[in-house]
Amino acid sequence: NLKMLQDLSRYEVDGQKLLLAKPTQRGVTHGGGEQLKVDSAEYNALKELLNRFENPVECEDKVNVGNYFDGIEQLDEVGTLRKATLALTGRLPTTQEAEQVRGFGIDALDPVLDEIMKEDAFLERLVEIFNDTLLTDRYIANTDAVGLLNPEKFPAYWFEGIEDDNTRNQIAYYTNVGLAREALNLIVHVVKNDLPYTEILTADYQVFTPFSAKSYGIDVTFKDPTDPWEIAVGKLPGVPHAGLLTTTMFLNRFPTTATNRNRARARVVYKFFLDTDILKLGARPLDPTSIKTVNPTMNNPNCTVCHELIDPVAATFQNYQARNDYVPLETTEQMTWFTDMRLPGFGEAKLPEGEEKVAEQWLAKQIVADDRFAQSAVRIVWKGLTGQDLLTEPFDAAHPDYVADLEAFQVQDRVVKSIAAKLRSNNYNLKMVFKEIIKTDYFRATNVRLPASGELDEERKAELAELGTAQYMTPEQLDRKIEAVTGYPWRPNRDQPDLLTNGNEYRIFYGGIDSNSITQRISDPNGIMANIAIRMANEMSCLATARDFSADPSDRLLFPYVERSFVPEDDNQFSVPAVTDAIRANIQHLYDHVLGESHDLNDPEITAAYNLFVTIWKDGKNGVKDGTYSADLEGACRSTNDYWTGNELPENRKISQDPDYTVRAWMGVLTFMLSDYKFLHE
C-alpha cells in the first residue's frame, strides 16, 4: 500500500499534487465531495507524507529498534567471536584473535572477521550456505554433472581415453565436481575477490576449474593446471553469459518444459534474488471450475496475480529452452516468443527491441538494480548463519499473538533493510553482510533476564519466541566443531570419510540434505538425531582422551592442567587439595574450550562436573580393585600410535592401561560436555 501511494504521489494536476487536489476539490472533481479542508491537520499530515516521499529521511548507521531488546543477555566480544569463527570456518578463535576484541566493543570484530573470511574454510562454508538455496550439489555424485553437457557441442567425457582406471576415475571425479559447482564457484570467485555481489548475475563470464574447462573444450589460463580445485574465469564462444543464470547446472536444476515455458525459472529468480515468493502473493483457486476464461494466465484475475510478474521474466529466458543450451529464437523454428504469453520484461520495463539475443543479460541488470536484490542476499546469509528463516509479516489480526508477531517482524525487518542498505552503499561486498549479521542482537542473544516476578507476560514471550540463534548444528558444522574442539574427526578410522558428512552414514539421519530429494534441513532434533549425538559423544571421548594425555601438557587441547596420576583422594580417602584444585581448573578449562562458558572455580557447574568425575573415578577404582573392571583400556580408547600418520608412539607416551581409572573418569566428563545442549547447538 505504501508503494502504491508513493507511485500515485508523482501525479500532478495544474502543478499541484493529485492526492491533495482530489480530497480538497481544488481543480479536480471528486465524486465523494470534499474530504479535507485546506490547512487542516489531516491535510497537512498528507502534505508532509508527500513531501517525505520526495525528500526521504536517511537514518543513521544504527537502526532504531526502540527498547525491543531490553532484558536480552548478549554474548560479549569474545563469545561472539567464538560463535562467529565456528559459523564461518568451523574452528575456534586463536588467543591473539580473542585479545584483539576483548573489551573493545563489538565493532572491534570487523578487522578480525575480515581476516577470517580470507581463509579457504570460509569459502567452503560459503559453498554450503549457497548450495542450500541453489541445490546444484544434486549433480556432485558420479558423473551426473558431466552427463548434463550437450555431447553434440562439448567434449564432456574428455577423460574417457585415459587408460589407467584409478587415474581416469580420479580425474572424472575432479571434472564432475568442477562442473557441478560452476554456479557456486562463481559466487566464491566474487566474494573471495571482493567483487560486487551483483556479479553473480551480471558477470559476462563463467568460472571453470582446469578439468571442467576441458569438458567445455575451451582454453582458460590457470596458475596450476594440475590443481583440480583452482578456479578461473573464461567464456563459452558465442554465449552472452549472465552470471549463474546461464550456467548449465542452474538451468538444469531448475528446468523448463514445453508447457511450463520457463515459469519455474522465473519463480526461483524471484525467490532467490528478489526476496519474493510468488506463490504467496495470491491464493490459488482450489475449484478448477472457477477458471472459465480463455487463456486464464492472461485474463483470469485468479491467475494474473502471479503470472503478470512471472511470465515476463520467464520470457527473458527465451534463449534457453528444452536442452538448456543457448539457442536464440531466430535460429529455431520458433522465431518469436509465444504470443499467448506476456512479452519479455521485468516489472513495468519491457525488453528493448533488438536485445532478444541478450535477454538474460538484460534481465540480470534489472534484478540487481532492484532494492530487493540486496535484501535477498541478506536473507540467504541470515539463514546460513542463524539457521532461521526471516520472519514474515502476519496478516491475521484476529490471531491472539498478532500484535507481538507484528512487532517482532517489524523490528527484524528494520534490521534486515538496514543491512541491505549497507550492502548497497558498500559496493555490494557480501562480506559486509556476514559481519553485520554477526554483530546483531539476533546473532548474539543468549538468554532473557527475567523481571522481578520471574515470569514474562504472554505478549513478551511471543515477541521473543524466534529470538536467538541456538540452532541445532548441521552435520557439516558439527563435524568441523568436533575436530576443532577434540583435535580429531569422528570417523571409523583415519582413512574413511567422516560419519556426519557421509551420505551413506549419518548426514541425512542428522538432518542434512542431498540437494536432490531431500532439500530441507531438519532444525528440530528427533530421536534418531539425539542418539547419533550420544554415540558421537561416547566415541569421541574414547578416541580423544588418552591421545590428549599422550601429548606434552603445552600441546594438549583438553587436559593441560592434569595428569593421569592425579587422583582426588589418597588411599585413606582424604582429599588432596592441590590435586582437587588442578582437577577443578581443568574442568573450568573444558567448559571454556568445549562449551564456550566461563565459570568461577567454585561455580555450581564446576562442582557438578567435579562430582561426576569423582563418582566415576571411585566406582572404577573399586571395580579395578575387585576385578569387576579391567585395568586395560578398550582398543579404540588407547593411544599407541599417531592418529594421522599411523606411526607408533614412543613407549613413554603410549597409553593402553588405566589402573587408576582417571582416563575413563575424564572420558565421562568429556562425554557429558560433548552431549551437552550447548555443544550440539550454536
Side-chain angles (χ1 to χ4, degrees):
N1 289 337
L2 183 65
K3 178 68 165 59
M4 184 180 294
L5 191 63
Q6 192 169 9
D7 291 340
L8 290 173
S9 71
R10 299 188 179 98
Y11 291 95
E12 296 184 356
V13 177
D14 296 331
Q16 63 178 329
K17 294 290 186 182
L18 178 64
L19 287 177
L20 293 175
K22 291 188 74 171
T24 58
Q25 296 285 276
R26 296 173 64 186
V28 178
T29 302
H30 180 244
E34 185 182 61
Q35 297 296 312
L36 298 177
K37 296 288 186 183
V38 176
D39 290 332
S40 66
E42 292 86 353
Y43 176 87
N44 289 331
L46 180 57
K47 185 177 180 180
E48 172 64 15
L49 177 63
L50 302 185
N51 180 59
R52 291 190 186 188
F53 283 152
E54 292 184 346
N55 303 284
V57 177
E58 296 294 334
C59 298
E60 298 295 327
D61 285 345
K62 299 296 183 182
V63 61
N64 179 19
V65 295
N67 60 355
Y68 183 78
F69 293 102
D70 286 357
I72 304 300
E73 296 180 2
Q74 305 281 349
L75 291 169
D76 61 14
E77 302 94 336
V78 176
T80 304
L81 179 63
R82 174 191 166 98
K83 183 172 181 176
T85 53
L86 283 168
L88 297 177
T89 61
R91 68 170 176 83
L92 299 177
T94 65
T95 302
Q96 181 181 4
E97 289 170 337
E99 294 308 315
Q100 280 182 259
V101 304
R102 192 186 305 275
F104 289 104
I106 198 63
D107 287 332
L109 268 72
D110 283 351
V112 180
L113 293 175
D114 283 334
E115 292 302 311
I116 289 172
M117 286 189 284
K118 293 178 181 178
E119 298 175 20
D120 289 343
F122 168 69
L123 300 178
E124 294 172 8
R125 180 76 179 106
L126 195 69
V127 167
E128 280 179 16
I129 291 173
F130 277 86
N131 180 67
D132 278 8
T133 295
L134 299 179
L135 301 171
T136 51
D137 268 3
R138 171 183 182 175
Y139 307 119
I140 206 166
N142 306 309
T143 54
D144 291 1
V146 179
L148 295 177
L149 270 59
N150 187 343
E152 297 176 4
K153 288 187 174 182
F154 308 114
Y157 292 91
W158 64 274
F159 47 80
E160 286 190 336
I162 299 174
E163 294 185 1
D164 181 72
D165 290 346
N166 291 332
T167 302
R168 182 177 62 257
N169 292 339
Q170 189 67 61
I171 289 179
Y173 166 74
Y174 290 146
T175 302
N176 193 74
V177 174
L179 291 169
R181 289 192 165 166
E182 59 187 13
L184 298 172
N185 284 341
L186 171 59
I187 297 172
V188 167
H189 169 76
V190 167
V191 176
K192 178 181 180 180
N193 294 288
D194 295 320
L195 300 173
Y197 178 70
T198 52
E199 282 199 29
I200 72 165
L201 301 187
T202 62
D204 186 19
Y205 57 79
Q206 192 164 312
V207 173
F208 303 89
T209 66
F211 298 145
S212 71
K214 291 184 178 181
S215 277
Y216 280 108
I218 62 171
D219 291 326
V220 178
T221 301
F222 294 94
K223 294 178 181 178
D224 180 4
T226 65
D227 180 0
W229 309 122
E230 184 182 346
I231 58 176
V233 301
K235 294 186 178 184
L236 297 178
V239 175
H241 295 286
L244 63 83
L245 295 178
T246 53
T247 58
T248 303
M249 297 306 126
F250 177 81
L251 293 166
N252 276 277
R253 188 62 184 86
F254 305 102
T256 187
T257 65
T259 54
N260 180 268
R261 298 178 182 176
N262 291 323
R263 290 182 174 108
R265 287 174 180 163
R267 182 182 66 81
V268 298
V269 163
Y270 269 103
K271 187 173 183 178
F272 297 168
F273 308 120
L274 290 164
D275 199 27
T276 302
D277 189 343
I278 293 291
L279 298 182
K280 292 182 179 179
L281 292 182
R284 302 177 72 183
L286 300 178
D287 181 6
T289 62
S290 65
I291 303 177
K292 299 178 180 179
T293 53
V294 176
N295 194 358
T297 62
M298 292 281 283
N299 303 308
N300 190 303
N302 288 308
C303 302
T304 58
V305 65
C306 294
H307 282 274
E308 65 183 2
L309 295 176
I310 285 181
D311 286 10
V313 172
T316 61
F317 279 96
Q318 59 185 268
N319 300 312
Y320 291 89
Q321 296 186 55
R323 288 298 302 269
N324 301 319
D325 287 333
Y326 176 69
V327 182
L329 284 181
E330 66 179 38
T331 64
T332 67
E333 294 181 2
Q334 180 185 332
M335 300 298 293
T336 59
W337 189 245
F338 299 98
T339 57
D340 57 347
M341 282 181 66
R342 289 169 175 80
L343 296 175
F346 178 77
E348 296 181 359
K350 304 300 180 185
L351 177 69
E353 187 175 351
E355 295 196 25
E356 291 81 7
K357 289 185 178 181
V358 292
E360 297 78 16
Q361 291 184 337
W362 178 87
L363 172 64
K365 293 175 183 177
Q366 309 309 306
I367 293 172
V368 301
D370 192 295
D371 286 349
R372 292 173 294 175
F373 177 71
Q375 288 179 215
S376 73
V378 178
R379 177 179 292 276
I380 292 172
V381 177
W382 188 286
K383 180 65 179 290
L385 286 180
T386 70
Q388 297 178 358
D389 288 308
L390 292 176
L391 300 177
T392 56
E393 184 175 4
F395 291 102
D396 183 4
H399 193 281
D401 293 332
Y402 174 76
V403 174
D405 290 346
L406 183 62
E407 173 75 0
F409 164 77
Q410 290 176 335
V411 171
Q412 188 186 80
D413 191 54
R414 283 177 224 147
V415 172
V416 169
K417 286 181 177 176
S418 72
I419 296 174
K422 289 182 181 179
L423 175 62
R424 290 190 291 269
S425 63
N426 282 270
N427 197 30
Y428 281 90
N429 189 322
L430 192 69
K431 292 177 182 176
M432 189 280 305
V433 175
F434 283 90
K435 291 187 291 185
E436 291 301 313
I437 292 175
I438 286 168
K439 293 187 295 182
T440 63
D441 300 274
Y442 292 93
F443 187 84
R444 299 174 59 206
T446 59
N447 207 343
V448 179
R449 287 192 293 270
L450 296 176
S453 64
E455 294 184 3
L456 295 173
D457 60 51
E458 292 303 314
E459 184 173 327
R460 187 60 170 156
K461 284 182 181 179
E463 285 182 355
L464 303 178
E466 297 297 324
L467 189 63
T469 59
Q471 61 168 317
Y472 206 72
M473 301 185 78
T474 68
E476 295 87 352
Q477 287 178 291
L478 181 58
D479 178 70
R480 289 187 289 265
K481 186 176 184 180
I482 291 168
E483 186 168 349
V485 167
T486 68
Y488 303 98
W490 186 32
R491 57 180 64 158
N493 60 62
R494 70 174 185 273
D495 298 321
Q496 291 184 281
D498 295 356
L499 291 168
L500 282 169
T501 57
N502 188 344
N504 294 321
E505 294 288 350
Y506 297 147
R507 188 180 76 203
I508 304 302
F509 288 131
Y510 203 72
I513 63 174
D514 63 6
S515 301
N516 186 7
S517 58
I518 304 172
T519 59
Q520 295 291 327
R521 294 185 181 277
I522 298 175
S523 56
D524 296 321
N526 54 41
I528 293 177
M529 296 166 71
N531 278 285
I532 291 172
I534 292 171
R535 178 170 183 170
M536 176 278 297
N538 277 293
E539 292 188 359
M540 287 310 302
S541 63
C542 165
L543 172 69
T545 301
R547 292 184 179 279
D548 202 65
F549 274 116
S550 286
D552 186 270
S554 61
D555 296 327
R556 294 178 191 169
L557 291 177
L558 304 171
F559 308 108
Y561 301 121
V562 292
E563 296 295 343
R564 288 180 295 146
S565 58
F566 284 21
V567 294
E569 296 176 359
D570 60 22
D571 292 340
N572 297 314
Q573 298 184 339
F574 290 110
S575 175
V576 183
V579 173
T580 57
D581 287 347
I583 293 172
R584 282 181 170 272
N586 204 91
I587 290 173
Q588 183 186 50
H589 165 76
L590 285 175
Y591 266 104
D592 178 60
H593 179 73
V594 178
L595 300 178
E597 296 181 2
S598 297
H599 298 292
D600 294 332
L601 283 175
N602 294 318
D603 188 281
E605 288 283 345
I606 302 292
T607 299
Y610 175 80
N611 290 338
L612 173 63
F613 174 84
V614 172
T615 300
I616 297 173
W617 170 73
K618 283 184 176 180
D619 176 74
K621 175 187 175 184
N622 294 330
V624 171
K625 186 176 181 178
D626 64 22
T628 303
Y629 305 142
S630 171
D632 295 330
L633 290 169
E634 293 291 331
C637 305
R638 299 180 181 183
S639 178
T640 57
N641 63 319
D642 182 274
Y643 179 86
W644 301 106
T645 65
N647 296 333
E648 191 171 347
L649 295 175
E651 286 299 323
N652 64 336
R653 290 178 54 194
K654 289 182 179 180
I655 299 176
S656 57
Q657 291 190 317
D658 182 29
D660 293 326
Y661 219 84
T662 53
V663 173
R664 282 167 281 190
W666 281 116
M667 283 169 51
V669 173
L670 187 57
T671 299
F672 155 68
M673 292 189 178
L674 292 178
S675 59
D676 189 273
Y677 168 90
K678 290 188 177 180
F679 184 78
L680 302 173
H681 291 70
E682 191 61 55

